[in-house]
Amino acid sequence: MEKKMVLVPAGKYLPFFITKSNKPIAVDSFLMDETAVTNAEFLEFVIANKNWSRSNVNRLFADTNYLKYWASDYNIGIKNFQLINSPVVYVSWFAADAYCKWKRKRLPTVAEWELAGSALPKNIKIQSLTEYILSWYNKPNLPVLPNIKSTYCNEYGLFDMHGLVWEWTFNFNSYISSGDSRDTANDEKNLFCAAGSINVNDRKDYAAFLRFSYRGSLKGNYCIANLGFRCAKNFK
Amino acid sequence: MKTNWLIFLLMVCMAAIQTSCNNSGDTTVKKESTGIDTVITGTVKAELTDAPLMPKPLTYTTPQRVTVELEVIEKVMQIAEGVDYTFWTFGGKVPGKFIRVRQGDLVDFTLINMPDSKLPHNIDLHAVTGPGGGAAVTNVSPGQSATFQFRALNPGLYVYHCATGPVGLHIANGMYGLIYVEPQKNPLPAVDKEYYLMQGDYYTKGKFGEKGLQEFDMDKAIREEPDYVLFNGSVNANAGPNALPAKVGETVRLFVGNGGPNMVSSFHVIGEIFDKVHVEGGDLINTNVQTTIVPAGGSAIVEMTMDYPGMFHIVDHSIFRTFNKGCLAQIKVEGEKNRSIFGEIKK
């Protein structure tokens, strides 16, 4: 069964770091998986692409944590039965990229992901999306990662854009940070100015700041507990 | 803007050259460049302690290559009785582990971010001479680690903290601690008791004392209106049954830090006078001090001889913080009353 994709209409993405050269980016309409890729779905990929099994994978493309919670190469494991429909995590960017290509799709860009993720929930009541996001960041991980569609559905029909896992993006590290969030003199100066002048009720920037810090710390071969992905596709 | 970039690139190149030198094993610094002895004579693993305990004074007298491993752990802990908070910690407690090294030491510092962490973290040690105090080379994803090396050039008591964006949020959640660099010349004399105290301010959705898991409140943090101002990460962490013990006649040295993120501490002990204060954790010594300022991101070392028994209250003399926001620790002094110092005159 093919995964349902939903249309994200064209829009403008305002980059988090606003500088003179960093203007709003026009994003064409595109299709996006309605949920993150699940363990069950990723298992199909690994079975069809043996070079992406845990023991065959090239270490350059996935670190030693790759799929480490699975029972074996082609078996998620009985004790993980609750995870069949949970997002696959501990997957590298390269693995996510390969999966999307196998599905004749691609990873969404940061601009696409952020545009898609900015849509408000339509099936739950929240104070604000930012409150919701910060609240997720402020809670420790649950012992068992919940299933897909366990958080909320947004106005585009996308599930769990926030509150379930972090997600890989195609150009996750295109914002080059030295690792010290205060060191990017040009970007950061603007950011601090902006942060000082915004209405304190608007905390959207802080949630975005956390996401950008997160992406900035990543390398393509990292496989991490909370990090999954979903695919996107051009809309013709 | 172009110039900035050139300078930045130059710094990166210099850092790269520095690293390659270190990798080739050339770890000595020319003596004339620093005025301190930097010839490494051995290796040591640093003793790390949780507040209020201090690592033992160092016994070595020549520079060492020191290994420090610090784990970043995000966990729910009590901020007050019946009140939980999700702290982000260096080593599992707030404040983070105390680190004690000696001027001239070469420190191999490894920061490990636990796999369960939600967020990346790094570390800026104010004791470090170099880009970001280490932050530039330690932005670590969950489950990853990073190692860097620094020379402890300047002696003194320094704050370290997480500098991952947004910095204020990481500090507000408890990501700070202290590192003491013992001087090569004139190290601190031995005292009877050494303790580690660190102040911090906390911002929760609920008011002070409101039960349950309390989430961080960004509005209050930006307005600089904390619900809690605390020593050592929770209400009564070192008060009541957890008071710091001492005996009459003993000299107590407190290594005091302030993580902030916002409040500046008016550090005071009720019923005592600081015989000595190492002002701002540096070389300057002031004597006979009632209250000393501990800036956010700063420190002080205070010493007092406990001449009289009883419970001595350690407070932030911005006093509503003590009575309404939890900023209290205590020293419990046991021993004989000395009538020549203090006593009530009965009518």
Side-chain angles (χ1 to χ4, degrees), chain B residues 9-321:
Chain B
L9 281 174
L10 197 65
M11 279 165 65
V12 171
C13 291
M14 282 163 69
I17 290 163
Q18 183 75 42
T19 313
S20 63
C21 285
N22 288 344
N23 288 346
S24 66
D26 178 13
T27 52
T28 55
V29 175
K30 278 185 187 164
K31 214 168 179 172
E32 57 268 31
S33 72
T34 59
I36 57 168
D37 182 11
T38 54
V39 181
I40 303 295
T41 60
T43 58
V44 177
K45 191 167 169 46
E47 180 196 359
L48 305 179
T49 57
D50 288 319
L53 301 180
M54 284 289 301
K56 290 179 284 296
L58 303 174
T59 51
Y60 56 85
T61 53
T62 52
Q64 304 290 309
R65 187 158 178 170
V66 183
T67 309
V68 177
E69 280 184 9
L70 202 51
E71 288 178 341
V72 174
I73 305 165
E74 299 172 1
K75 64 193 275 202
V76 175
M77 292 189 287
Q78 274 210 345
I79 192 167
E81 210 183 312
V83 188
D84 287 332
Y85 187 80
T86 307
F87 289 95
W88 301 346
T89 73
F90 286 109
K93 293 274 172 65
V94 175
K97 300 274 185 192
F98 198 104
I99 306 164
R100 194 166 194 158
V101 297
R102 187 172 171 275
Q103 187 184 16
D105 284 351
L106 195 63
V107 183
D108 290 342
F109 196 103
T110 300
L111 189 70
I112 304 153
N113 192 359
M114 299 309 276
D116 281 348
S117 294
K118 275 257 172 67
L119 294 156
H121 300 285
N122 64 14
I123 192 165
D124 167 356
L125 299 117
H126 291 178
V128 168
T129 306
V137 290
T138 55
N139 200 24
V140 196
S141 304
Q144 303 290 330
S145 71
T147 303
F148 73 107
Q149 191 176 62
F150 70 91
R151 177 79 64 177
L153 292 177
N154 298 65
L157 182 60
Y158 297 93
V159 167
Y160 66 78
H161 63 90
C162 182
T164 301
V167 181
L169 174 57
H170 285 254
I171 291 176
N173 282 343
M175 296 201 78
Y176 43 76
L178 290 178
I179 176 170
Y180 180 57
V181 182
E182 292 191 359
Q184 285 187 353
K185 285 178 196 157
N186 307 319
L188 294 175
V191 291
D192 303 296
K193 296 273 159 54
E194 288 187 338
Y195 293 115
Y196 167 23
L197 271 185
M198 197 154 185
Q199 187 170 324
D201 30 295
Y202 304 85
Y203 306 82
T204 53
K205 286 270 191 286
K207 285 180 182 161
F208 179 87
E210 205 169 305
K211 306 284 186 218
L213 179 65
Q214 290 296 327
E215 283 178 26
F216 170 74
D217 190 312
M218 182 63 85
D219 286 343
K220 289 178 180 174
I222 292 171
R223 290 201 306 267
E224 307 190 12
E225 290 170 3
D227 298 281
Y228 296 85
V229 181
L230 302 171
F231 291 121
N232 291 349
S234 66
V235 174
N236 293 334
N238 293 110
N242 306 317
L244 309 171
K247 293 192 179 72
V248 167
E250 283 188 336
T251 299
V252 174
R253 177 181 290 142
L254 302 176
F255 291 80
V256 185
N258 186 359
N262 291 322
M263 301 293 115
V264 170
S265 178
S266 303
F267 190 78
H268 176 82
V269 177
I270 296 174
E272 263 296 342
I273 294 133
F274 302 134
D275 301 314
K276 261 194 219 175
V277 173
H278 293 254
V279 178
E280 293 164 4
D283 288 348
L284 180 66
I285 294 177
N286 198 0
T287 53
N288 304 321
V289 177
Q290 56 187 319
T291 301
T292 193
I293 284 278
V294 188
S299 71
I301 305 168
V302 303
E303 286 177 28
M304 60 207 134
T305 300
M306 309 311 292
D307 297 303
Y308 199 85
M311 202 64 117
F312 291 82
H313 306 295
I314 304 170
V315 303
D316 181 337
H317 216 295
S318 301
I319 207 72
F320 274 106
R321 297 176 190 169

Side-chain angles (χ1 to χ4, degrees), chain A residues 63 131 135-136 138-141 166 178-182 186 200-201 203 206 209-210 213-214 217 222 224-226, chain B residues 1 5 76 86 115-120 122 124 132 135-136 139 141 144 163-167 205 215 218-219 222:
Chain A
D63 71 20
E131 288 281 344
S135 159
W136 177 61
N138 278 317
K139 279 182 198 125
N141 295 323
W166 302 96
S178 73
D180 184 341
S181 66
R182 308 154 300 177
N186 297 317
V200 289
N201 289 320
R203 280 172 276 180
Y206 282 86
F209 204 162
L210 286 163
S213 290
Y214 186 88
S217 77
Y222 281 9
I224 299 179
N226 281 305
Chain B
M1 197 186 274
W5 266 108
V76 175
T86 307
D116 281 348
S117 294
K118 275 257 172 67
L119 294 156
N122 64 14
D124 167 356
N139 200 24
S141 304
Q144 303 290 330
T164 301
V167 181
K205 286 270 191 286
E215 283 178 26
M218 182 63 85
D219 286 343
I222 292 171

Side-chain angles (χ1 to χ4, degrees), chain A residues 95-158:
Chain A
D97 182 60
Y99 177 96
C100 292
K101 282 176 179 155
W102 179 65
K103 288 281 183 189
R104 295 174 193 280
K105 300 177 188 175
R106 59 178 175 78
L107 282 169
T109 64
V110 169
E112 286 171 338
W113 197 97
E114 289 289 330
L115 180 68
S118 67
L120 293 170
K122 65 175 183 189
N123 62 340
I124 57 165
K125 274 194 178 154
I126 52 164
Q127 225 182 328
S128 78
L129 186 55
T130 302
E131 288 281 344
Y132 182 85
I133 297 169
L134 284 178
S135 159
W136 177 61
Y137 294 150
N138 278 317
K139 279 182 198 125
N141 295 323
L142 297 167
V144 177
L145 185 60
N147 285 350
I148 52 166
K149 300 191 179 181
S150 62
T151 63
Y152 71 90
C153 178
N154 76 13
E155 286 162 341
Y156 298 138
L158 296 163

